[in-house]
Amino acid sequence: MRKMLVITRDGSRSEEIGGLLGREQEVRAEPVAVPDVGAPDRDVDTLFVDVESLLARNRSVAKALSSLWTQYPSAAIVVMAGEEQTGLAVDAVKAGAFDYLTHPIEKAEFDLIADKVRESDVLQSELDYLRGQFWNEDSLEYVDTRSKAMRDVFVKIRQVAGTRTTVLLTGETGTGKSLIAKLIHAHSNRKSQPFISVHCGAIPDTLVESELFGHEKGAFTGAVRRKLGKFELAHGGTIFLDEIGTVSQSVQVKLLNVIQERMIQRVGGETDVPVDVRIIAATNEDMNDLCERGKFRRDLFYRLNVFPIRIPPLRERREDIPRLSEAFIQQFNGLLNTEVKGIHPHVLDTLLEYEWPGNVRELENVIERACILETGDVLQPESFPPDLLDTQGEVVTSPVKTSLPLKEARRITVDKFERQYLSSLLEQCGGVIKDAAQRAGVTTRQLSKLMSRHSLDKKEFRKKRNS
């Protein structure tokens, strides 16, 4: 049972919130902002607090929230405010509050906030579990995902990392297969041993065998001394064979022998050399199709496909695009000595709608280019490639996503239109809420709620008008 606490100086408002809640929640009401004594109450899941109560003992929103979290460390705080107090409520959200509601509170709006809190709790619990139970500190930023598909990938990594089982990573170019291979190695019992990466498609066919298995002096023209291959260099550790589908038939035969016998022979040599390696292979091709066409040995495919992990393309994990973009901005701020703080709303909408044929690698390249070109502290449409945005910075019309249910496709389209419409309107009105509301034919309260839903700040539009 979820436990919710309502803090308000008006008892009728506490009853109002209680009436909106279902029976599955336990509700308490407090007439004060923060109790004076008592141990922290970790049972409260959600805390609804009026702005008046929030600031009753401290005029600083941030300090007031900090006091509440001291008493209720597990609670998501939702601030309630009148229309004239919206500015304070927005300040509270910027200081860490989960969201805000304006009086009079409608049940549909309240239910939406409650569902968002529950969803956030589930995601955070799963992430905390992953962090606490398995991942090392260097990997935490990579496993911070809101995508169920990626969470499933990380569950599989946890299951297989501690074994010596051969892993086959599949996925489109740019999805991060090499990063996943490194995560598996970093969380295995071989992590202190070498991790050797081989891009099979980048090595000429005549040199693949020598690169993988080494060669003896005089084995071929130019072999002036013995050379150890990648398998010997990876002894005790992990070898990552990227683009495994590109290797020749002769190399496939030798790879099959290595997996079965755990022995190699250098090119030009006759002695078997034992190797203890964990093999992780990766491909962006359909391996079953390659086998059907006779391009890849099916027996080798079976040996490599012991534990397959499919890495989803970026278009199947769009919810991670804002987080990934922010991470890349921080990365390039350090590398390029820039001070970019965010992305223009028009651009973020486009990033969320774009199909990303180059996946995460393409997103990284796009953000790097924008950080180089941008002269301000927010990435503007002009800093992005024209195939993402037209010259006016408007979102390019994308094809209808018939793969989605009608309800979901309609929601995405309406949200996109609302944000574009509001952004254009606010820009034309210079961020003046009253003027924008009048032109839109809605009340200022309704406009403020829509702006909050789409993360639009009137200050940004005022800056643009004054610049």
Side-chain angles (χ1 to χ4, degrees), residues 16-17 20 46-52 54 61 65 69 76-117 422 426 433 443-458:
E16 174 188 352
I17 296 297
L20 296 175
T46 312
L47 181 63
F48 295 91
V49 56
D50 264 326
V51 168
E52 294 92 339
L54 183 68
V61 170
L65 289 173
W69 277 312
I77 298 177
V78 179
V79 176
M80 302 178 294
E83 185 175 344
E84 70 283 357
Q85 300 167 318
T86 301
L88 289 172
V90 172
D91 289 341
V93 172
K94 290 180 178 179
F98 185 83
D99 210 331
Y100 75 91
L101 294 165
T102 54
H103 294 294
I105 298 172
E106 301 170 359
K107 180 169 176 51
E109 188 177 10
F110 178 86
D111 288 343
L112 178 62
I113 293 293
D115 288 343
K116 285 170 61 179
V117 171
L422 292 172
L426 287 164
I433 302 299
T443 66
T444 55
R445 176 188 173 197
Q446 289 172 320
L447 183 62
S448 296
K449 286 187 175 182
L450 287 171
M451 290 173 61
S452 175
R453 181 188 304 167
H454 295 289
S455 303
L456 298 175
D457 188 345
K458 62 183 179 183

Side-chain angles (χ1 to χ4, degrees), residues 200-461:
C200 299
I203 306 173
D205 289 343
T206 55
L207 297 179
V208 172
E209 290 190 40
S210 174
E211 285 293 317
L212 291 178
F213 310 118
H215 62 251
E216 299 287 355
K217 180 179 179 180
F220 50 82
T221 303
V224 295
R225 64 178 183 275
R226 171 187 286 179
K227 177 185 176 182
L228 301 184
K230 302 298 186 184
F231 271 91
E232 285 185 85
L233 295 176
H235 183 73
T238 302
I239 187 167
F240 174 50
L241 303 175
D242 199 5
E243 303 302 341
I244 188 65
T246 64
V247 297
S248 65
Q249 291 282 338
S250 61
V251 174
Q252 291 176 35
V253 173
K254 290 197 171 185
L255 282 175
L256 182 62
N257 185 67
V258 171
I259 295 174
Q260 292 179 162
E261 306 297 334
R262 299 290 170 178
M263 297 279 187
I264 66 165
Q265 272 193 7
R266 303 187 190 100
V267 177
E270 299 180 355
T271 304
D272 288 335
V273 180
V275 289
D276 172 22
V277 295
R278 200 265 185 83
I279 298 174
I280 301 176
T283 181
N284 60 5
E285 301 184 72
D286 185 336
M287 296 299 288
N288 274 309
D289 180 61
L290 291 180
C291 293
E292 289 290 337
R293 293 190 286 121
K295 300 289 186 180
F296 201 87
R297 294 180 62 99
R298 191 169 291 277
D299 50 359
L300 176 58
F301 171 57
Y302 291 149
R303 289 285 187 175
L304 295 172
N305 199 41
V306 178
F307 196 93
I309 299 178
R310 175 183 178 269
I311 315 301
L314 188 55
R315 62 181 174 276
E316 293 181 13
R317 47 180 298 213
R318 296 180 189 274
E319 54 269 59
D320 280 344
I321 289 176
R323 181 191 63 80
L324 289 169
S325 299
E326 182 179 346
F328 289 141
I329 287 173
Q330 296 303 317
Q331 171 186 326
F332 293 120
N333 276 343
L335 293 174
L336 303 173
N337 197 29
T338 53
E339 296 183 358
V340 176
K341 297 178 180 177
I343 304 177
H344 189 281
H346 279 320
V347 176
L348 188 56
D349 278 345
T350 305
L351 299 185
L352 289 169
E353 290 298 316
Y354 184 59
E355 289 301 305
W356 296 110
N359 294 293
V360 178
R361 185 181 300 135
E362 183 182 6
L363 175 62
E364 181 181 10
N365 293 339
V366 165
I367 296 297
E368 180 179 12
R369 175 188 188 274
C371 287
I372 293 172
L373 296 176
E374 185 56 54
T375 57
D377 59 0
V378 174
L379 297 181
Q380 299 292 331
E382 295 77 13
S383 297
F384 286 81
D387 59 341
L388 285 177
L389 301 167
D390 66 19
T391 54
Q392 283 76 39
E394 296 294 332
V395 178
V396 177
T397 302
S398 57
V400 176
K401 293 182 175 58
T402 54
S403 60
L404 296 175
L406 176 61
K407 182 178 179 181
E408 180 67 11
R410 181 189 292 120
R411 182 191 65 77
I412 292 173
T413 302
V414 171
D415 283 349
K416 175 182 174 182
F417 168 77
E418 277 189 355
R419 183 164 187 168
Q420 286 182 312
Y421 175 85
L422 292 172
S423 296
S424 298
L425 186 61
L426 287 164
E427 186 171 334
Q428 294 169 21
C429 296
V432 179
I433 302 299
K434 182 178 179 181
D435 293 348
Q438 185 176 6
R439 291 182 58 176
V442 298
T443 66
T444 55
R445 176 188 173 197
Q446 289 172 320
L447 183 62
S448 296
K449 286 187 175 182
L450 287 171
M451 290 173 61
S452 175
R453 181 188 304 167
H454 295 289
S455 303
L456 298 175
D457 188 345
K458 62 183 179 183
K459 295 178 182 177
E460 292 298 324
F461 299 97

Side-chain angles (χ1 to χ4, degrees), residues 134-192:
F134 184 74
W135 305 107
N136 61 40
E137 186 175 353
D138 294 337
S139 303
L140 295 183
E141 64 177 299
Y142 301 116
V143 301
D144 184 7
T145 177
R146 290 186 171 273
S147 164
K148 183 182 184 304
M150 282 307 297
R151 292 202 300 273
D152 290 344
V153 168
F154 294 135
V155 167
K156 289 183 178 180
I157 291 174
R158 284 173 32 223
Q159 293 171 333
V160 77
T163 71
R164 65 175 293 172
T165 300
T166 301
V167 177
L168 179 63
L169 303 176
T170 61
E172 298 176 7
T173 299
T175 50
K177 297 185 289 294
S178 61
L179 173 61
I180 296 299
K182 291 175 183 176
L183 281 177
I184 294 173
H185 174 74
H187 294 85
S188 71
N189 54 11
R190 298 170 178 261
K191 60 186 176 182
S192 60

